[in-house]
Amino acid sequence: DLAYIDIKILQELYISSLNCRDSLITNIELGKRNYTQTLKTSLPPLITKPEDVWAFELPETLPNFVTHKRLTAQVTDASSHENLAEKVVCIPNADPGFDWLFSYPIAGLITAWGGPNSHMAIRAGELELPAVIGVGDLLYQRISRAKSIHIDCSSKLVEIIS
């Protein structure tokens, strides 16, 4: 809950006689409401001028397919550590912080961001793990909400089954 506190309330509490507990609880609730609103805000992947935040289209991205394999499997995200076996795991980016995934017997990998030379693309290639790297935000949102998908890397195809 402390992550939702505005630093200004701590400064104010330091110099005032306000009830600390009540002030912190109120500020935490406000911080949670603000955070919920922030999650509803969508911004373009690249902002070059202030006007870009008011009107934009999300660009289509061309994903990078690793290996020439095909698979059909259930989809999960990386937060469910116990439930990764034989599933396609969705992660937001292709950085080394997700290397621990390869210690599980995952079926495949999907990332929202990353390119053919990203860490996860290289690791998936080394392990001959079917992966679709850099699908973009729109497709990533659809895939990560799916129950199962079909990936055909040689045909460069990702199909949502259910």
Side-chain angles (χ1 to χ4, degrees), residues 43-59 113:
L43 294 172
L46 177 64
I47 298 172
T48 58
K49 57 190 179 295
E51 298 80 35
D52 290 348
V53 302
W54 300 112
F56 61 91
E57 290 183 29
L58 290 173
W113 308 110

Side-chain angles (χ1 to χ4, degrees), residues 127-142:
L127 299 169
E128 296 183 23
L129 180 74
V132 187
I133 307 294
V135 299
D137 193 45
L138 291 175
L139 186 54
Y140 180 79
Q141 294 303 323
R142 290 198 320 248

Side-chain angles (χ1 to χ4, degrees), residues 13-89:
L13 288 171
Y14 182 73
I15 60 170
S16 74
S17 61
L18 293 173
N19 181 312
C20 288
R21 186 178 194 286
D22 292 344
S23 295
L24 290 174
I25 288 172
T26 301
N27 195 263
I28 288 168
E29 289 170 4
L30 176 64
K32 286 181 179 181
R33 282 195 303 270
N34 290 341
Y35 180 69
T36 301
Q37 280 300 117
T38 301
L39 291 177
K40 295 176 183 176
T41 304
S42 182
L43 294 172
L46 177 64
I47 298 172
T48 58
K49 57 190 179 295
E51 298 80 35
D52 290 348
V53 302
W54 300 112
F56 61 91
E57 290 183 29
L58 290 173
E60 286 281 330
T61 58
L62 191 59
N64 303 281
F65 290 83
V66 179
T67 77
H68 294 286
K69 295 182 177 181
R70 292 184 211 173
L71 72 103
T72 301
Q74 291 181 336
V75 178
T76 190
D77 64 26
S79 65
S80 56
H81 292 266
E82 306 84 35
N83 203 13
L84 297 176
E86 302 306 317
K87 293 188 178 171
V88 174
V89 180

Side-chain angles (χ1 to χ4, degrees), residues 95-146:
D95 67 46
F98 289 102
D99 232 24
W100 59 268
L101 286 172
F102 299 119
S103 64
Y104 291 86
I106 63 174
L109 183 66
I110 304 274
T111 71
W113 308 110
N117 295 322
S118 66
H119 179 77
M120 296 308 260
I122 292 167
R123 293 285 286 136
E126 291 171 348
L127 299 169
E128 296 183 23
L129 180 74
V132 187
I133 307 294
V135 299
D137 193 45
L138 291 175
L139 186 54
Y140 180 79
Q141 294 303 323
R142 290 198 320 248
I143 291 171
S144 63
R145 287 191 300 258

